[in-house]
Amino acid sequence: MRTPIRIVSLLLLALGADAACAHAFLDHANPLVGSTVRAAPREVTLSFTQDLEAGFSSVEVTDAHGARVDAGKPRVSANTMRIGLRSLPPGTYRVRWHVLSVDTHKTEGSFTFQVGGP
Amino acid sequence: MSRLQARQQSRLSILAGIRGTLPRLCLAPGENPPLSLCFGSLPVSSALAHCFVGARFLPATLITDDPCVADEMSLPTVAWSRTGDVPPASQWDISGEFSKRITEDFGVSIGEDWSHIRQPGAPTMQGFGDLETTFQYQLLKDRTHETAMLLGLVVDWGGTGSAAFGTSYSLLTPTYYFGQGFGQLPDDLGWARPFAVTGQIGYQIPTTSFIVSQDTHVPQVLLYGASLQYSMPYLKSEVKDLQLPDFINHLIPIVETQLATPVANNLGNSNVTTGTINPGVIWVGSYFQVGMEAMIPVNRASGTGVGVIGQLHLYLDDMFPKTIGQPLIGGGSATPAKPAF
């Protein structure tokens, strides 16, 4: 078993100058993915597992009819992306995001959250 | 395709039908061979690419293959099992595989395995199997519907393995792979959206149909397998964040199966299907994944009792995004597209 471990170690060592980054997964969101919030949020915050390229990362929020309810441009800082929201009446909203990590890996996803109780 | 696995299972399927001929095939008269000595060994494999399709991440599976080309390495894959012999032989398999994208949609893999078999009252056998290469082309990646399709040609190069575990002839296996996420299910079935299935079907053609010295037909074999998986990362990021412990949110419980059935040129042998059903779990990180599965034989010819398989799988495209993690052709010049919804 030691030989394969040595081979892997040598490979990692040989390529160590290549700074490692990875696909950016959604780590957590506010509002939480799939959650129901009583008060309408003023913005959506998405935190990822890797830093993002601001120019190639975006997010939009739509209501149950597909109409945009976000306001302004997405703001990207390191691994976090935010976007403001208009005043949201009770209902279900979908957040769709699409990001590029700093090593040019693309990922995307979407989720919903609800405003107001049933 | 799950190269090494497929080769080994197809051989197992063959020998399950022609066990009576085994002494003529590779042992001295009077010896009682473990089943896997002559044709290879029970499932061990290195699996291929991890796979992104839209919001869906399909991990590298252990005994089947996912439907994407990628830059990655499985090292090592380690399996322990007991053969279907009486008494059963104890078998260890250690394998490795390196996969490289030549272009964005075309990749090549190379793999090798080493086996060790010990049966009470018989000499211990160990050695390398035949070298295996795989050529794969990405047919489809539908982000919206989380669908992926892949075509591949697996080649086991005869004469490249040891006397005990290699063959004198090569094996060609054209294979179709698919993957489908359930993310399009309606919201009231949200709990089911993290499910995904992957599968593969291949037809293995040996370059020799008859071994004259052993008076044995070498059959053509149908190789097929599938996985059903439930992605906790998908549940957390796409459906509902239950705020579970971080370790749990990186798990993908999975059940895989890989089967082999001789279907042609199998004169004088039975057509028994062999294979295993493997329940297990894969932990997915940013740069690597670790998988562990039990191996449950589907019948007596496939093995004795429950075996185990584990794998460390490295995402080279994530570890080394500017060097070996890029396709050889067209990787560095690709300009990322501005996101459009």
Side-chain angles (χ1 to χ4, degrees):
Chain A
M1 287 300 296
R2 287 188 175 182
T3 299
I5 293 173
R6 286 174 180 162
I7 293 171
V8 172
S9 301
L10 286 173
L11 179 63
L12 298 182
L13 192 63
L15 297 168
D18 188 1
C21 294
H23 289 82
F25 293 98
L26 179 63
D27 187 55
H28 61 272
N30 189 10
L32 284 174
V33 172
S35 65
T36 298
V37 293
R38 289 184 179 180
R42 301 182 66 173
E43 68 174 12
V44 169
T45 303
L46 308 176
S47 296
F48 293 87
T49 56
Q50 303 290 334
D51 288 354
L52 308 178
E53 289 284 356
F56 298 94
S57 301
S58 189
V59 58
E60 70 171 23
V61 185
T62 55
D63 64 16
H65 305 290
R68 295 278 294 266
V69 296
D70 51 77
K73 293 183 178 180
R75 306 184 304 280
V76 175
S77 175
N79 69 335
T80 302
M81 181 161 59
R82 293 182 169 86
I83 192 165
L85 298 173
R86 299 173 190 167
S87 178
L88 302 183
T92 300
Y93 298 90
R94 178 166 293 277
V95 179
R96 300 175 65 204
W97 56 267
H98 186 157
V99 302
L100 187 74
S101 65
V102 291
D103 69 340
T104 73
H105 283 125
K106 292 183 287 188
T107 48
E108 63 185 287
S110 71
F111 64 89
T112 60
F113 68 88
Q114 285 187 312
V115 175
Chain B
M1 157 119 223
S2 160
R3 321 121 188 359
L4 306 174
Q5 159 84 16
R7 178 180 63 208
Q8 289 155 354
Q9 287 216 340
S10 68
R11 289 172 179 162
L12 195 66
S13 182
I14 295 167
L15 63 86
I18 58 175
R19 191 168 181 221
T21 68
L22 288 180
R24 282 183 291 148
L25 288 173
C26 51
L27 291 179
E31 284 187 306
N32 181 27
L35 280 175
S36 51
L37 283 187
C38 301
F39 290 94
S41 45
L42 244 185
V44 82
S45 122
S46 12
L48 232 198
H50 60 293
C51 181
F52 284 90
V53 191
R56 176 69 55 176
F57 172 74
L58 299 169
T61 40
L62 275 68
I63 66 164
T64 57
D65 206 355
D66 62 80
C68 292
V69 294
D71 300 299
E72 59 196 348
M73 182 164 63
S74 296
L75 189 68
T77 302
V78 180
W80 175 85
S81 61
R82 290 190 299 161
T83 68
D85 301 280
V86 180
S90 176
Q91 176 172 333
W92 285 94
D93 296 288
I94 302 173
S95 63
E97 183 174 70
F98 175 70
S99 302
K100 185 78 199 79
R101 286 180 298 171
I102 307 303
T103 68
E104 191 68 34
D105 294 322
F106 178 71
V108 177
S109 301
I110 182 167
E112 183 59 272
D113 64 325
W114 179 88
S115 298
H116 173 101
I117 296 179
R118 187 179 59 174
Q119 185 180 32
T124 297
M125 303 288 289
Q126 62 185 32
F128 286 95
D130 287 336
L131 186 70
E132 184 176 273
T133 56
T134 303
F135 308 90
Q136 293 184 317
Y137 181 74
Q138 191 76 54
L139 283 179
L140 172 72
K141 269 190 179 181
D142 184 336
R143 294 163 44 209
T144 303
H145 298 96
E146 300 179 358
T147 304
M149 297 181 189
L150 186 71
L151 274 184
L153 176 64
V154 185
V155 183
D156 294 292
W157 299 96
T160 57
S162 64
F165 294 94
T167 61
S168 58
Y169 51 88
S170 296
L171 300 168
L172 308 176
T173 312
T175 305
Y176 167 77
Y177 313 81
F178 71 91
Q180 180 64 59
F182 291 4
Q184 293 298 300
L185 290 174
D187 286 342
D188 54 356
L189 291 175
W191 60 272
R193 291 177 56 216
F195 275 112
V197 294
T198 64
Q200 63 189 52
I201 183 167
Y203 193 81
Q204 187 176 78
I205 306 165
T207 54
T208 297
S209 60
F210 190 78
I211 304 175
V212 176
S213 61
Q214 298 165 346
D215 192 26
T216 301
H217 287 85
V218 183
Q220 298 173 12
V221 180
L222 189 66
L223 298 167
Y224 47 104
S227 79
L228 175 65
Q229 47 193 268
Y230 192 83
S231 174
M232 297 303 288
Y234 193 97
L235 176 69
K236 179 193 174 190
S237 64
E238 294 285 314
V239 182
K240 189 170 184 62
D241 186 350
L242 299 173
Q243 297 189 286
L244 298 171
D246 191 54
F247 177 77
I248 302 295
N249 285 327
H250 285 258
L251 296 179
I252 301 180
I254 188 170
V255 178
E256 293 185 75
T257 185
Q258 170 77 303
L259 302 168
T261 303
V263 290
N265 193 44
N266 199 30
L267 300 176
N269 308 316
S270 78
N271 292 319
V272 66
T273 294
T274 58
T276 60
I277 297 173
N278 294 19
V281 66
I282 297 172
W283 182 91
V284 176
S286 291
Y287 305 105
F288 66 92
Q289 65 174 60
V290 179
M292 182 77 73
E293 296 177 349
M295 297 192 299
I296 303 170
V298 297
N299 52 29
R300 189 70 176 84
S302 302
T304 303
V306 178
V308 63
I309 183 170
Q311 183 185 76
L312 171 64
H313 185 92
L314 308 176
Y315 306 146
L316 299 182
D317 57 337
D318 288 319
M319 298 173 71
F320 311 111
K322 297 173 184 172
T323 53
I324 62 173
Q326 290 274 350
L328 290 179
I329 301 171
S333 60
T335 302
K338 190 86 174 175
F341 293 108

